[in-house]
Amino acid sequence: MKIKFAYLLPNFFTSLSTFFGVMSIIASSQGKFEKAFIYIILSLIADGLDGRIARLTNTTSKFGVEFDSLADIVAFGVAPAMMLFFAIGENYGRFGALISGLYVVFGAIRLARFNVTTAENDPRYFIGLPIPTAAVVLGSWVMLDVKYESGFDITILVLALFLGFMMVSNFRYPSFKKLDLQKNIALKVLIYIIILASFIYLYPIEAISAILSLYAFYGVFRGIKGYFKIMKSKR
């Protein structure tokens, strides 16, 4: 019974992630965008727990990997796309629908590529922007637009397409899975975490958007920097 429970536990959190994703879609369709965004965050937490629990209990399986990808396309593909569409996209007709649809398609491609190449890649990096990160970034942009009535609707739609391209790009993003915190830098990292946590406590949406947006654009910056470095070495 203990073994069976151990196998069920990570899949329970995967199911929970899917459920929160569906709740987010329903909330978006009702115009409750703050609630929809909270559900995406809850999906992110559940998604993070399922993999860690599976590794800790040594219950990783092919079924779990496939189930996780199906859950991710709902929670981090369809849910933020529907949030984008109902908040902004539907005001722009076919263009808004197209952007929302392309975001989901690129997210699905990202997940499929990750599943078939994960064993070949350096665990310190993700190839392409991870779909959970893209979902939270997109959701935070929509929330900021709704909260401040920014009027940057077209910009956000274009940036949503940018996130889609980043997911299927070859830009490398740090995974933070193999952090080696030496004693001389551990205190500095702790201080940074406290400062970030304070920022998130005071301005949750703004802080999450700023931090993860920087991460999303970091891959582009790193890729361009690497390209010029290679070009310089060839001269």
Side-chain angles (χ1 to χ4, degrees):
M1 290 298 292
K2 290 182 179 180
I3 296 175
K4 290 183 179 180
F5 177 76
Y7 275 96
L8 286 174
L9 192 58
N11 291 320
F12 166 75
F13 282 101
T14 305
S15 301
L16 202 59
S17 178
T18 310
F19 176 78
F20 287 139
V22 174
M23 292 302 102
S24 176
I25 295 168
I26 293 172
S28 293
S29 70
Q30 297 171 340
K32 300 175 182 178
F33 301 114
E34 184 175 357
K35 195 174 183 180
F37 184 62
I38 291 172
Y39 276 127
I40 291 174
I41 297 295
L42 291 174
S43 292
L44 180 70
I45 294 170
D47 180 67
L49 287 172
D50 67 357
R52 281 165 178 76
I53 291 172
R55 287 189 291 272
L56 284 172
T57 57
N58 197 27
T59 55
T60 54
S61 64
K62 187 175 181 182
F63 172 82
V65 171
E66 297 302 325
F67 187 23
D68 185 67
S69 292
L70 292 173
D72 285 355
I73 197 60
V74 174
F76 309 124
V78 180
M82 291 300 96
M83 189 177 175
L84 174 69
F85 178 76
F86 286 114
I88 297 173
E90 66 178 349
N91 299 321
Y92 295 89
R94 291 184 178 181
F95 178 69
L98 176 66
I99 297 298
S100 299
L102 286 176
Y103 174 85
V104 178
V105 171
F106 288 139
I109 294 172
R110 167 70 176 83
L111 289 168
R113 185 178 69 173
F114 176 80
N115 285 349
V116 299
T117 63
T118 184
E120 304 169 6
N121 296 328
D122 188 336
R124 295 175 300 171
Y125 300 99
F126 294 117
I127 305 301
L129 182 66
I131 189 172
T133 306
V136 177
V137 171
L138 181 55
S140 69
W141 288 346
V142 173
M143 281 301 303
L144 290 174
D145 184 64
V146 171
K147 181 178 179 180
Y148 295 105
E149 298 180 355
S150 66
F152 292 125
D153 292 0
I154 290 293
T155 303
I156 292 173
L157 287 172
V158 173
L159 286 173
L161 189 60
F162 162 79
L163 289 176
F165 282 125
M166 288 303 98
M167 285 191 286
V168 297
S169 72
N170 288 321
F171 291 122
R172 300 172 78 187
Y173 289 86
S175 69
F176 304 110
K177 291 180 179 179
K178 298 289 184 179
L179 283 177
D180 184 16
L181 296 180
Q182 299 175 0
K183 290 183 179 180
N184 59 336
I185 65 170
L187 183 59
K188 291 182 180 179
V189 172
L190 178 61
I191 293 171
Y192 292 146
I193 291 173
I194 292 172
I195 293 172
L196 290 176
S198 301
F199 188 27
I200 292 172
Y201 174 75
L202 292 173
Y203 308 101
I205 297 172
E206 292 82 354
I208 291 171
S209 180
I211 294 167
L212 293 184
S213 294
L214 286 172
Y215 180 81
F217 284 98
Y218 169 77
V220 182
F221 171 77
R222 189 177 185 278
I224 294 173
K225 183 180 178 181
Y227 171 78
F228 282 111
K229 188 175 181 180
I230 292 171
M231 293 300 293
K232 188 176 180 180
S233 65
K234 289 182 178 179
R235 290 178 182 175

